[in-house]
Amino acid sequence: MAEAALLALSKIGSYAAIEATMVAKSKISNLMELSATVQRIRRQFLMMNFFIRKMGASYLSDELLKGWIAEKDKFLNKIVKGSHYAVVFNGIADELIQIEKDIEHVSKLKDMWVHPVSQLIPTQVTVSEQRFPLYNFPQLMKDEDLVGMDNYRQHLKQLLGPKIPALGVISLWGMGGMGKTTLVINVYEHHKEEFDINRELQEALTQKRYLVVFDDVWDRRAYDGIHDVFVDCRNGSRIVITTRRGDVAALAHKGCQLKLNPLELKDALLLFCKKAFPNSNDLEYPLKLQELATDIAKKSKDSSLTECPSELKELATDIAKKCKGLPLVNYSQLKDLAHDIVKKCDELLLEKLPSERHDLATNIVNKCKLFPLAKCSSELQKIAVEIVKKCGGLPLAIASIGSLLSARMQLECVWKQIYDQLPCELEKDDQVRGVLTLSYYDLPGELRNCFLYCSMFPEDYLLSREVLVKLWIAEGFVVKKGDSTLEEVAEGYLMELVHRNMLQLVHNDELGRVRICRMHDILRELALSISKAELFGTANNFSEMVQMNTNVRRLSACRWKQTKHDVSKIKFPHLRTMIALESFTDFVPSMLSESKHLTVLELQDSVIDEVPPSIGDLFNLRYIGLRNTAVKCLPDSIEKLVNLQTLNAKSTKIEKLPGGIVKLYKLRHLLADRLSDETRMEFRYFCGVEAPKGLSRLEELQTLETVEASKDLGGQLEKMIQLRNLWIDNIKYEHCTELFASLSKMPLLYSLLLCASDEKEKLNIENLIPTSTMLQKLIIRGCTAERTLDCPMFQDYGGNLKYLALSGCHLENDPFEALASCVPNLTYLSLNKVHSNSAQTLVLPAKSFPLLKTLVLRNMSDVNVLKIEDDALPCIEGLYIVSLSNLKSVPEGIECLSSLKKLTLLGLHNGFKAEWKMNQMHEKMKHVTELRVE
């Protein structure tokens, strides 16, 4: 909250500087003192900010401090009403004089009440206790209670073994509540006797084999400051670290880092049942299953094993029959159990090992614990599954809610109420709240706002790096550091949140950056709770909006349906941010007319076809998001938005931008194009917009996607030296010479797309000779000369490229051989409708493309043979072969791609599918996690 106040004061200060001339000309004394008053108040807020940070999370339980902070926030609502008119600044100056007096009064109240009351508290609070909320240390859990952690436990046991004599550091990491500490305690208790010293640091460490555990480490320096004590005597000693942070986990070697992931639904349900039905012992399980499982366990101990497999099959049949009458079969839990048992029975006929029978019997007994839930009504089962899903595989949350329900009646209405109030119930749980808030309050101040902001998006929403970065900058969360751009700093913030497990990585892009991430549901609920308490923002459905505090600053209105209510009556005069994704936006005109201080307007994927002219009155607007909407044009009034930084109108119906857009000198990102073919089958399935006259006046522009080529475009682009990302469409042959010469001079160019006017239009790239050492991503769509790869772009500069996509180009006889030599450092390569003189056989040469992670081959009908030679593509993770209609045989050497994770083979010759099946390729490609052959 203090960060928001400081941000507002910075804005007031900058506006005051802008109006300095008008102030000097005026004779209003208050205006002459405005700058000094702002600085004095800013210092007050700085001290308040330092105080809050010093107190850390402890103020959450201190109502006096809450009240003080709430009073401070009232000042913020007054301060941020700035405008660029001197008469308004005069009003601000008058209010600031009163605000300064109010701050002094509130500060005195704090000194009068907060400090004396804290003296009355008898218990001494340590610095660490002040910083973080308390939570109980997990107790030792039995082996069978470590649900879904068998693999982690086995891996940890192996790493603790004495096979490797060197002193080893082992790290377990993952978000709070994942079970890191619980797992380590369990394994520690089982194996501590194998080590000579396992509890205290003594001089004897140099002679003994020891095991030391550092639990919940937040900073590498905590280990760096003490690691010299641990002398490596090559006797197999071990150091185990649990942490939530990736940089701390990296203290261990790659093979000794255990990343704990959320539980799968099957294991999550099992853990839930253990906690929700703690008294469902043997008498509660179906008697037949329990007796048979016990009998199997007994028989596994003697040598008479002949009847065991048949009994196991009878058990499997019995379970299968019961599954047919149980609603839980919809969630595949019991059905999977039956199939698993049948499979193991067949294996037992061949290998009659008592240990296998015993393990199987134990597995059956454990999985029988799901039967208390199976005996419940189908409605209760569905609620249970939804509760478990809501917990997102987080063991701590699942166990907490399960334990809570164990003391409640097994009625649909009771469980439904708990589900509806799940965030509140988890927040009341000291253990859950303590563990999760630790992560939040360990964040630096600049990251807290960024984290809270992510909660403005819906549950399970896929957060784009490009969008988040621009939004954070528009909100003013990002402060420039050194020579880095604001965008680079913001990307660093995002990486930090991922490393701290506050956001979950979904996909990296082809250049190794975060592309997509998401927020865990439980962490989102935590963030929403904090956001509401600190008046940061709120996410609501429409029915709740009418009851909302109209002083809210940020509002998320995602996935709202059309309503018959009169939305014009709902007003939010202090609103700064409106995020409405996938919604009916009939409330937007009212919002724009009433919310004069709006900074961010995000309407991606929403139902809107017209932007009201009143948008031009929003002087503070920095971000407009219209992506994937039906908007046909932008109003001329947009030229008044002099503070606009980002306009995202990609995949709309806009063909031409208003001429006045070139007056927006602060514009950093301009994205606008028209999706003309949703099937993406046409060559130009998206079309750029006509470049407005005077485009070169946008000197701060970093991103321009997508603009149509013209005779004078090259001359305009030559002056735009800040451009980093540039997409150009509808290029004709006569444009190439001047246009490509201008592109060559751009010093900061990073990503470039060139698209011809049609498939037959030749793009002469001889003049494309980049001076930028930053160009890593190149997309060329259109016909090129036969010896394209002999151009300077590839011969002299190709080594810098990481991402290359060619569509409709003409290359050499075998393009892979030429590409392997001129662009050896690619991480992504896509060839679509690429032609060559003789392309029936494609060969990936031995040891070629050592860094390539993704290879895409599309629409190359001439190719009938594909060979992958030894040690080619050693890092490949994704291989996509689509619409190679004459590819009759399985690519030679494909089974040797051991790093492959995703393989897609679509639209190939019928002979290919037959050979794939005949060669049992599915068995050979078991290491591929996502395999699709059609």
Side-chain angles (χ1 to χ4, degrees), residues 613 616-619 636-643 660 663-664:
D617 298 331
L618 302 178
F619 173 76
D636 292 335
S637 61
I638 201 170
E639 69 179 37
K640 296 162 63 178
L641 302 177
V642 295
N643 287 305
K663 297 179 181 180
L664 308 183

Side-chain angles (χ1 to χ4, degrees), residues 237-516:
S237 295
R238 294 290 183 267
I239 297 171
V240 180
I241 298 172
T242 71
T243 183
R244 309 177 191 200
R245 298 182 49 167
D247 60 333
V248 176
L251 288 168
H253 293 298
K254 197 72 175 178
C256 295
Q257 298 176 24
L258 279 69
K259 175 70 182 292
L260 272 63
N261 296 312
L263 296 178
E264 294 182 359
L265 180 59
K266 186 168 93 173
D267 292 324
L269 267 175
L270 181 55
L271 176 58
F272 174 81
C273 288
K274 284 176 178 290
K275 299 299 181 180
F277 307 103
N279 299 319
S280 296
N281 295 320
D282 294 0
L283 294 178
E284 296 291 328
Y285 303 145
L287 189 58
K288 177 70 173 177
L289 294 178
Q290 186 66 24
E291 289 177 351
L292 287 174
T294 305
D295 189 45
I296 292 167
K298 288 180 180 178
K299 289 194 174 184
S300 67
K301 297 177 181 178
D302 58 41
S303 58
S304 178
L305 303 170
T306 55
E307 296 180 0
C308 210
S310 62
E311 285 185 300
L312 286 175
K313 286 185 177 179
E314 289 176 6
L315 172 59
T317 303
D318 191 30
I319 294 177
K321 287 180 181 178
K322 292 181 182 294
C323 284
K324 292 178 182 178
L326 291 171
L328 199 63
V329 72
N330 294 331
Y331 303 104
S332 303
Q333 301 304 308
L334 301 181
K335 193 174 182 180
D336 288 348
L337 172 60
H339 288 311
D340 186 47
I341 294 174
V342 171
K343 182 179 178 182
K344 291 194 175 182
C345 286
D346 292 336
E347 295 172 353
L348 287 171
L349 289 171
L350 301 175
E351 297 180 22
K352 299 178 180 180
L353 300 176
S355 61
E356 286 191 10
R357 300 184 199 287
H358 187 272
D359 291 342
L360 179 57
T362 304
N363 191 32
I364 293 170
V365 172
N366 285 336
K367 291 193 176 181
C368 281
K369 294 176 183 177
L370 276 175
F371 272 81
L373 182 58
K375 291 168 63 180
C376 296
S377 68
S378 60
E379 291 77 14
L380 210 61
Q381 291 180 26
K382 291 176 181 178
I383 295 173
V385 172
E386 291 306 312
I387 288 174
V388 169
K389 286 182 178 178
K390 186 81 170 178
C391 291
L394 195 66
L396 181 61
I398 296 168
S400 172
I401 295 300
S403 298
L404 175 66
L405 287 171
S406 69
R408 304 293 176 91
M409 297 180 67
Q410 295 178 18
L411 298 175
E412 180 185 357
C413 60
V414 175
W415 283 34
K416 179 67 165 57
Q417 185 181 36
I418 295 296
Y419 173 73
D420 292 338
Q421 300 174 0
L422 193 61
C424 298
E425 294 296 343
L426 289 174
E427 189 177 0
K428 288 190 297 185
D429 187 291
D430 291 339
Q431 183 80 359
V432 176
R433 187 182 68 250
V435 167
L436 295 182
T437 53
L438 276 173
S439 297
Y440 172 71
Y441 287 104
D442 183 60
L443 291 175
E446 64 269 19
L447 291 188
R448 291 186 189 177
N449 285 336
C450 295
F451 170 72
L452 294 181
Y453 201 82
C454 294
S455 68
M456 296 291 100
F457 296 87
E459 281 186 3
D460 297 321
Y461 191 81
L462 298 180
L463 301 167
S464 161
R465 178 197 77 249
E466 293 183 348
V467 172
L468 274 183
V469 162
K470 294 177 178 64
L471 285 170
W472 289 345
I473 292 172
E475 293 281 358
F477 298 158
V478 185
V479 180
K480 199 173 187 307
K481 295 182 179 179
D483 294 332
S484 298
T485 64
L486 291 174
E487 287 75 12
E488 290 168 341
V489 175
E491 287 189 13
Y493 289 175
L494 180 60
M495 287 294 297
E496 182 72 7
L497 288 173
V498 171
H499 283 315
R500 288 171 174 262
N501 284 285
M502 301 300 282
L503 294 176
Q504 297 174 326
L505 177 65
V506 178
H507 295 299
N508 281 323
D509 70 5
E510 296 79 9
L511 303 179
R513 302 173 301 179
V514 174
R515 171 191 277 171
I516 299 293

Side-chain angles (χ1 to χ4, degrees), residues 805-865:
L806 303 176
S807 181
C809 298
H810 197 108
L811 301 181
E812 283 67 21
N813 292 341
D814 186 343
F816 281 131
E817 184 175 355
L819 286 168
S821 61
C822 65
V823 283
N825 298 317
L826 292 180
T827 58
Y828 178 95
L829 174 61
S830 174
L831 303 179
N832 177 42
K833 294 184 179 179
V834 170
H835 309 286
S836 65
N837 296 332
S838 175
Q840 292 185 341
T841 300
L842 293 180
V843 179
L844 283 148
K847 299 183 179 181
S848 60
F849 301 107
L851 304 177
L852 197 68
K853 292 187 176 181
T854 304
L855 175 60
V856 181
L857 304 176
R858 292 180 182 271
N859 301 308
M860 300 169 68
S861 56
D862 295 336
V863 176
N864 55 31
V865 176

